[in-house]
Amino acid sequence: MHPNSDFMHRCELVDLTRVAQGCFRLKLYAPALTGAEPGQFVHLRAGSSTDPLLRRPFSIHYVDQKAGEIWLLIRVVGPATSALSRLRPGAELDLLGPLGNTFPAREEAAAAMLVAGGIGLAPLYFLARRRLEAGLAFDLLLGGAEGSSLPGDAFFDCAGLKPMLATEDGSRGFKGTVVDLLKQRLESGEKPSRIHACGPVPMLARVVDLGKIYAVPVHISLESLMACAVGACLGCVFPFKINGMLEYRRVCRDGPVFNGEEAHFNFV
Amino acid sequence: MHPNSDFMHRCELVDLTRVAQGCFRLKLYAPALTGAEPGQFVHLRAGSSTDPLLRRPFSIHYVDQKAGEIWLLIRVVGPATSALSRLRPGAELDLLGPLGNTFPAREEAAAAMLVAGGIGLAPLYFLARRRLEAGLAFDLLLGGAEGSSLPGDAFFDCAGLKPMLATEDGSRGFKGTVVDLLKQRLESGEKPSRIHACGPVPMLARVVDLGKIYAVPVHISLESLMACAVGACLGCVFPFKINGMLEYRRVCRDGPVFNGEEAHFNFV
Amino acid sequence: MSDSCLSATIAGITMANPLVAASGCYGYGFDYRHCIDPACWGAIVVKGTTLHPRLGNPPPRLVETPSGLLNAIGLQNPGIAYFLKYIRVRLPELGCPVLVNIAGETLDEYRRLAALLNGVDEVAGLEVNISCPNVKKGGISFGCDPALVYELVCRVREAYRGPLIVKLSLEAGNIVSVAEAATRAGADALSLINTIKGMVIDVQKRRPVLGNSTGGLSGPALRPLAVRAVWEVSQAVSVPVIGMGGIMQAEDALQFILAGSAAVAIGTANFVNPAVPKEICDGLKRYLADNGFTHYRELIGLARPGS
Amino acid sequence: MSDSCLSATIAGITMANPLVAASGCYGYGFDYRHCIDPACWGAIVVKGTTLHPRLGNPPPRLVETPSGLLNAIGLQNPGIAYFLKYIRVRLPELGCPVLVNIAGETLDEYRRLAALLNGVDEVAGLEVNISCPNVKKGGISFGCDPALVYELVCRVREAYRGPLIVKLSLEAGNIVSVAEAATRAGADALSLINTIKGMVIDVQKRRPVLGNSTGGLSGPALRPLAVRAVWEVSQAVSVPVIGMGGIMQAEDALQFILAGSAAVAIGTANFVNPAVPKEICDGLKRYLADNGFTHYRELIGLARPGS
Ligand SMILES: Cc1cc2nc3c(=O)[nH]c(=O)nc-3n(C[C@H](O)[C@H](O)[C@H](O)COP(=O)(O)OP(=O)(O)OC[C@H]3O[C@@H](n4cnc5c(N)ncnc54)[C@H](O)[C@@H]3O)c2cc1C
Ligand SMILES: Cc1cc2nc3c(=O)[nH]c(=O)nc-3n(C[C@H](O)[C@H](O)[C@H](O)COP(=O)(O)OP(=O)(O)OC[C@H]3O[C@@H](n4cnc5c(N)ncnc54)[C@H](O)[C@@H]3O)c2cc1C
Ligand SMILES: Cc1cc2nc3c(=O)[nH]c(=O)nc-3n(C[C@H](O)[C@H](O)[C@H](O)COP(=O)(O)O)c2cc1C
Ligand SMILES: Cc1cc2nc3c(=O)[nH]c(=O)nc-3n(C[C@H](O)[C@H](O)[C@H](O)COP(=O)(O)O)c2cc1C
Ligand code: FES
Ligand code: FES
């Protein structure tokens, strides 16, 4: 074992495309990472300055095994994501990964429901394409504030995906949040085998509530500020309630995918 | 008076050319700055991160009044200069200036001698071209460790300049330092009206010593780490001995050009 | 929003806005005039002034650190007599209240400085620097001992009848006790924090970079420590606190105000962006409008539990 | 250069090099194994361990600051009993000496922790944390009072016969007095500095970002303060000093060594670059070779006047 070993990589940026307002898809040449599974993430260094200081975690958005590529889907929110969006093909990125656990149970009788809020699409797109490739049934629900903040139809078409869209301004698909859309589907009698959800914490809390009401198991992929991303610093924890006891679990190492029922949302 | 007033400018980078090893010429579109005189400098912000935090001072290397451009000549030594060298035309630069005083006394009987060590060429090139334009006699002496660290002949030819080169490895011109070359010239009986020198402090000290020996007035352009560059922080001072008394003068505001005889080199 | 939403009164000094140019970073107020009108400040604090002229420390006096700046100016200044004779008369040109930052080597020097400035019309108030890390005698040593601070501020208070601000250091360890001592002794306001002593070593030369070996750290690197200090001190005292340390933009100023600062001072940021006072004023006004406040005063200490 | 130019002995612990993984930043030494061999460290200090298991502070526990990181983990750990039963036995796998960082809420807790670790073969020594800014009781309050530190270290010293390192905070204000007290009480080495208490306020939510309100600042922002602390303390005591605070690369480690550190610890930099211990070792060797030294030991304190 030595630096630049299993988990440390320098990868070339092969392509960077704007896919929606403030949202970019990066393709990295990283054959060593193509064994990654949906739910896993990389911890990426944007630049060499000490400001921003820390690496940033990003879900693996897709793995193109043939091309030896991994893809990232990045929404610009601050200095690191904005620096990434300004890179040009040929740039070298320093990343750690693949890290974290994966979405569970890919094979089941009923269709799974994949519920993505905004950039929560990143890992669920990967999961959706894997299920498609494996011939497993699923529905992909995707919500955003406005239509322009979500990738256009071509983005999904060429992957063979047909997401159900929800926008709060009603400009594309269902008018309302993706949770409203999910609720409507469950109320209308649909019974998915399970729900995989990724998005902002308040959204995840509401999805878990719905799962409880309709007795559907929910898996959530959580976000958190991370320092080490390997389980060493205990900085990224989220509260869980296990057998009535409060427990902090590391999003980076014990997750990022968790059993939604155990997450202690009220605590936050 | 208001921000973006007389001294605060946002200028577009028009051209960036590598002119020697680790040395770049930048052309900025900055009509408001074309009144600058040789010796003056700008204080430039490279990036928006807090690391590096401070602006950096760079001599005005040339003013192209017709094109509305100012030029900078930059040697890559650390984070800011390296970030600057990676810019592309079209980039916008935030700069303060013109700052500081100028080389004095442009008209004189005998030829002036312009002595540049390394990147000290930046302001002396400007002075040389101004003297050329005004039909004033001068000699330009330029030294560097190796030939490759100095701009090539074309760089000077197209400006009508014929510098005398000195390289420590003897690969171009005189073999030795530019101070050795100067010494040889003075020893051989040349009597310049005055010497204008810019380069590392130890070099300037030796030039001032030669000036004393041969009774030639020496003007030096000093370097110093600067914070404000407008005279407010007292951070950039250099020691001087005035009538036997130690005094600290601000390189940014009282200089950067000083009477070499008064500089208290032994103190540093 | 109208400008009046930023009006402030600190220690009895009426200011157009709560932004103060920090001592040592703005000279006597004149150096930045080509960039920005000094009247855009709520107040300007001039360079630390001593009884006798001071040459200051040998160069290098500055070194950059990650997101910070170490300085070791060593209180270079022409002394109080020169200030009173030549600089004082020009201060009204600045168009905003001007405070004088004073530093002594003994309690008596502080008292004499205060007495010399008492009743000087052009000076709106005093900032007593008990926390400069760059002078050998006096300076920091005073600022760490609550009993000494009490005594020092009492003497200055007796000698000076105008607005009196005491400037604290975080190096004391017990900044809250020092703050309480200064307030008991009659300080009308507290300003914090001064720079913190640090060092950079030149590994090629194998000696400290600064001529004075150590210097004071300022800039954004320091900001989280300064916000915490304001949070603690403003809850312990009833006089207004002027917060400072690494403020670069409106959001940073808001952090200090929400933590309990009644005003904020800005030093290092001027070096990076001379337009900073104007940009922060604009940013504060936008924040007030966006969040339904009518005066910045409503924000002071709002991040505290129970607010 | 051969590896032996970096060999070190600190407080009687033989280390392959003077690089120490800082407490709280390297778990129990196992988490980075996929990136780098833990045996590349001179020593590893495990997470702060307490008498009883601790849940730690509510999230968020981290927030980034300019060139720095604020953390408020709150000493989450499974307690000494769990450590002794389950973790201890695995430590030899790491391939380098392992120290345990202990933290108590009372003097007696420190003594009991020390007694429980006395004679434990897998543990090369203790680092006594008297300076954690993130716990309410104990922690920082102990670290500021030289008399209390003397008493605390005496008790630990009686209970523990192995190598004893005391970890100091800069918040004391009087770090040199605290260092002297710890040394008089029998510390074999001192490590410094721990994080310094800071705060970031979320201006949209108008409350502190961290669940615990305040956190401890680490990373490069802190470095100049840490180098200065090492400079001061190493000249005042005769035991070795382990310097830390914002070391990111070989040049930074050299600053600490030239200032007087006999070893250096690295925390936050691991998060940015897990290969940092290896890169720093390589950089130190290169520096020795380039500058004509044969062992890093020759560099310790070389930037001091008169060296
Ligand atoms: C396991 C994991 C997987 C992730 N996967 C992805 C991904 O695939 N694509 C992606 O774009 N992001 C993803 N994120 C979030 C991503 O890490 C952050 O957006 C990024 O760190 C922001 O860095 P920054 O320097 O640009 O902004 P920062 O300065 O760090 O943040 C800027 C502001 O935005 C807020 N913020 C931070 N994250 C978000 C967010 N996700 N949405 C809205 N506001 C936010 C911050 O609180 C802050 O106020 C993931 C996070 C985790 C933990
Ligand atoms: C009035 C004035 C005019 C200047 N004009 C020019 C100019 O026209 N062109 C130009 O390239 N530079 C010029 N400089 C120097 C320039 O400001 C510095 O090179 C620049 O600030 C370095 O920034 P950095 O972040 O790249 O490196 P830093 O990290 O600031 O410095 C990197 C390392 O290089 C050292 N260093 C700094 N300056 C120099 C130098 N000049 N030569 C060798 N080593 C140095 C530093 O001590 C440090 O160790 C001028 C300086 C002054 C005061
Ligand atoms: C170059 C410089 C000189 C300073 N001189 C003084 C001084 O004379 N008196 C004083 O009380 N503070 C002085 N300070 C401290 C500042 O007033 C301020 O407290 C500190 O820099 C933190 O604020 P900032 O991060 O906005 O700069 C000085 C700071 C700098 C950077
Ligand atoms: C996430 C985190 C957790 C820490 N936990 C501890 C701890 O449990 N005990 C301790 O003594 N120091 C702890 N520290 C402090 C470090 O050991 C070190 O003193 C400090 O971070 C400065 O070094 P650095 O800048 O290299 O990180 C912790 C630091 C961080 C960043
Ligand atoms: S980020 Fe360090 S434990 Fe998760
Ligand atoms: S850089 Fe501030 S006075 Fe010269």
Side-chain angles (χ1 to χ4, degrees), chain D residues 62-305:
Chain D
L62 300 174
V63 58
E64 208 177 305
T65 67
S67 300
L69 170 65
L70 276 192
N71 89 79
I73 310 301
L75 287 178
Q76 173 176 344
N77 82 96
I80 186 72
Y82 184 95
F83 172 83
L84 288 172
K85 193 156 172 196
Y86 298 107
I87 300 171
R88 179 181 58 82
V89 294
R90 297 179 52 208
L91 298 179
E93 292 170 34
L94 295 172
C96 72
V98 177
L99 288 91
V100 176
N101 179 279
I102 60 167
E105 294 186 356
T106 62
L107 292 191
D108 195 54
E109 281 194 11
Y110 278 103
R111 185 194 55 77
R112 285 167 65 191
L113 281 161
L116 286 166
L117 286 160
N118 188 43
V120 172
D121 278 347
E122 295 87 348
V123 171
L126 293 197
E127 182 178 60
V128 186
N129 179 358
I130 57 170
S131 50
C132 179
N134 291 325
V135 287
K136 293 271 150 52
K137 277 188 279 182
I140 194 68
S141 51
F142 285 118
C144 290
D145 178 348
L148 207 55
V149 168
Y150 179 78
E151 165 117 28
L152 190 160
V153 177
C154 281
R155 298 233 197 145
V156 171
R157 181 73 289 178
E158 280 164 29
Y160 187 76
R161 282 184 299 274
L164 186 63
I165 298 167
V166 175
K167 183 160 179 182
L168 308 179
S169 158
L170 192 56
E171 294 190 64
N174 52 349
I175 188 165
V176 169
S177 321
V178 173
E180 286 165 346
T183 317
R184 271 203 317 278
D188 299 312
L190 302 174
S191 58
L192 54 139
I193 62 176
N194 210 321
T195 57
I196 304 182
K197 199 159 48 152
M199 178 185 277
V200 173
I201 286 175
D202 182 326
V203 303
Q204 292 312 322
K205 296 188 183 149
R206 290 190 278 280
R207 58 166 200 248
V209 170
L210 295 176
N212 185 50
S213 295
T214 60
L217 182 66
S218 66
L222 205 64
R223 194 197 307 140
L225 310 184
V227 171
R228 183 266 293 183
V230 164
W231 173 269
E232 289 178 357
V233 168
S234 67
Q235 294 184 62
V237 301
S238 55
V239 300
V241 165
I242 305 173
M244 72 189 93
I247 297 174
M248 304 297 285
Q249 52 187 357
E251 193 191 314
D252 307 337
L254 281 164
Q255 283 199 51
F256 280 85
I257 294 169
L258 293 166
S261 289
V264 293
I266 297 159
T268 306
N270 292 290
F271 308 152
V272 179
N273 176 16
V276 73
K278 209 188 154 314
E279 286 179 14
I280 293 185
C281 276
D282 291 347
L284 291 180
K285 283 186 218 165
R286 211 163 29 239
Y287 182 89
L288 293 175
D290 289 352
N291 292 277
F293 295 95
T294 56
H295 197 276
Y296 95 89
R297 197 189 304 122
E298 299 156 34
L299 300 175
I300 301 172
L302 212 56
R304 287 183 203 147

Side-chain angles (χ1 to χ4, degrees), chain C:
Chain C
M1 277 198 114
S2 92
D3 283 347
S4 66
C5 67
L6 294 182
S7 65
T9 307
I10 307 289
I13 305 168
T14 306
M15 313 190 331
N17 61 59
L19 303 192
V20 177
S23 177
C25 303
Y26 225 69
Y28 292 98
F30 300 98
D31 298 310
Y32 275 105
R33 272 182 312 173
H34 294 290
C35 298
I36 191 163
D37 183 356
C40 70
W41 290 99
I44 292 174
V45 185
V46 304
K47 177 68 194 161
T49 300
T50 52
L51 201 54
H52 305 294
R54 279 180 66 99
L55 205 53
N57 287 324
R61 291 179 173 184
L62 300 174
V63 57
E64 207 178 307
T65 68
S67 299
L69 170 64
L70 275 191
N71 88 78
I73 310 301
L75 287 178
Q76 173 176 346
N77 81 97
I80 186 72
Y82 184 94
F83 172 82
L84 288 172
K85 191 155 174 199
Y86 298 106
I87 300 171
R88 181 180 59 81
V89 294
R90 297 180 53 209
L91 298 179
E93 293 170 34
L94 295 172
C96 71
V98 177
L99 288 90
V100 176
N101 179 281
I102 60 167
E105 293 187 358
T106 63
L107 293 192
D108 196 54
E109 281 194 12
Y110 278 102
R111 186 193 57 76
R112 286 168 64 192
L113 282 161
L116 287 166
L117 287 160
N118 190 42
V120 173
D121 278 348
E122 296 88 346
V123 172
L126 292 197
E127 182 178 61
V128 187
N129 180 359
I130 56 169
S131 48
C132 179
N134 290 327
V135 286
K136 293 270 152 53
K137 274 188 280 181
I140 193 69
S141 51
F142 285 118
C144 290
D145 179 348
L148 208 55
V149 168
Y150 179 79
E151 166 117 26
L152 190 160
V153 177
C154 281
R155 298 229 198 148
V156 172
R157 180 73 289 179
E158 280 164 27
Y160 187 76
R161 281 184 300 274
L164 186 64
I165 298 168
V166 175
K167 183 157 178 184
L168 308 179
S169 157
L170 193 56
E171 294 189 65
N174 52 348
I175 188 166
V176 169
S177 320
V178 173
E180 286 165 347
T183 317
R184 270 202 318 278
D188 299 312
L190 302 174
S191 59
L192 55 139
I193 60 175
N194 212 320
T195 55
I196 305 182
K197 199 161 45 152
M199 175 184 278
V200 173
I201 285 174
D202 182 325
V203 303
Q204 291 312 324
K205 297 188 182 148
R206 291 188 278 281
R207 61 167 197 245
V209 170
L210 295 176
N212 185 49
S213 295
T214 59
L217 181 67
S218 66
L222 205 64
R223 194 196 305 141
L225 310 184
V227 172
R228 185 266 294 181
V230 165
W231 172 269
E232 287 177 358
V233 168
S234 66
Q235 293 184 61
V237 300
S238 54
V239 300
V241 165
I242 304 173
M244 73 190 91
I247 297 176
M248 304 297 286
Q249 51 186 358
E251 193 192 314
D252 308 337
L254 282 164
Q255 284 199 51
F256 280 85
I257 294 170
L258 293 166
S261 289
V264 293
I266 297 159
T268 305
N270 292 292
F271 308 152
V272 179
N273 176 17
V276 73
K278 207 185 155 316
E279 286 179 14
I280 293 186
C281 277
D282 291 347
L284 291 180
K285 284 187 217 163
R286 212 163 29 240
Y287 183 89
L288 293 175
D290 290 351
N291 293 275
F293 295 95
T294 56
H295 196 278
Y296 96 87
R297 198 188 301 122
E298 299 155 35
L299 300 175
I300 301 171
L302 213 56
R304 288 182 201 148
S307 311

